[in-house]
């Protein structure tokens, strides 16, 4: 038998199935090696390209964020939403940089501060027996803290 590629004496009989078509080929050592190499080369999947996402507000790249775990601005949350969802369990344990949560805490604190101040004013108004003023403050407190 001769090699189907180069006509040299064939040493290998190869059965290949591509898309359901089976072909039988006689190959010499050299062509067989070459075919194996080509097969390996072509069967390697090209690396899927990851689309780079960039925060439109602060230009932080998603790849940068994935590396560092830090967000450039609160808008990054929206921009990298998909990636963050996947990363969240990892990030929660390693960093405290969570602006959304942080902002909520700040809001909560300022409300508490305001309530403290109003309660003090209410106390003072009552001490001064200024019931009209006390009533006003009381309403403000109820607005902030409707329990
Ligand atoms: Zn050959
Ligand atoms: Zn950003």
């Amino acid at each position: 038998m001769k090699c189907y590629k180069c006509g040299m004496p064939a040493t290998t009989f190869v059965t290949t199935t591509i898309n359901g078509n089976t072909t039988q080929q006689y190959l010499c050592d050299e062509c067989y090696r070459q075919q194996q190499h080509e097969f390996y080369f072509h069967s390697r999947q090209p690396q899927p390209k990851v689309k780079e996402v960039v925060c439109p507000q602060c230009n932080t790249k998603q790849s940068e964020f994935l590396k560092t775990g830090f967000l450039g601005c609160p808008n990054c949350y929206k921009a990298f939403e998909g990636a963050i969802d996947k990363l969240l369990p990892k990030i929660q344990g390693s960093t405290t940089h969570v602006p959304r949560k942080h902002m909520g805490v700040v809001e909560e604190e300022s409300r508490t501060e305001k309530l403290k101040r109003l309660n003090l004013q209410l106390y003072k108004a009552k001490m001064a027996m200024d019931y009209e003023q006390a009533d006003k403050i009381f309403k403000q407190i109820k607005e902030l803290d409707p329990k």
Side-chain angles (χ1 to χ4, degrees), residues 55 57-60 72-76:
C55 172
Q57 205 144 306
C58 66
N59 287 321
T60 297
C73 72
N75 191 60
C76 291

Side-chain angles (χ1 to χ4, degrees), residues 39-106:
F39 180 74
Y40 171 74
F41 187 75
H42 288 298
S43 63
R44 274 174 70 188
Q45 291 296 315
Q47 286 290 315
K49 273 196 177 172
V50 180
K51 214 180 135 204
E52 182 68 289
V53 181
V54 179
C55 172
Q57 205 144 306
C58 66
N59 287 321
T60 297
K61 286 178 190 155
Q62 183 170 286
S63 58
E64 266 169 45
F65 158 68
L66 292 174
K67 242 188 269 167
T68 62
F70 284 99
L71 295 169
C73 72
N75 191 60
C76 291
Y77 259 111
K78 262 194 173 174
F80 309 149
E81 219 165 25
I84 289 169
D85 281 352
K86 279 180 221 157
L87 273 169
L88 218 53
K90 203 169 132 194
I91 286 174
Q92 273 174 345
S94 61
T95 175
T96 50
H97 190 82
V98 187
R100 192 154 58 185
K101 206 172 177 181
H102 184 64
M103 274 159 72
V105 170
V106 168

Side-chain angles (χ1 to χ4, degrees), residues 1 3 6 24-26 29 40 58 63 74 78 84 93 109-110 126 132 144:
M1 273 302 170
C3 170
C6 67
Q24 296 179 328
Q25 295 160 342
Y26 290 96
D29 271 351
Y40 171 74
C58 66
S63 58
K78 262 194 173 174
I84 289 169
E109 276 171 4
S110 70
K126 275 181 180 172
E132 205 185 307
L144 275 172

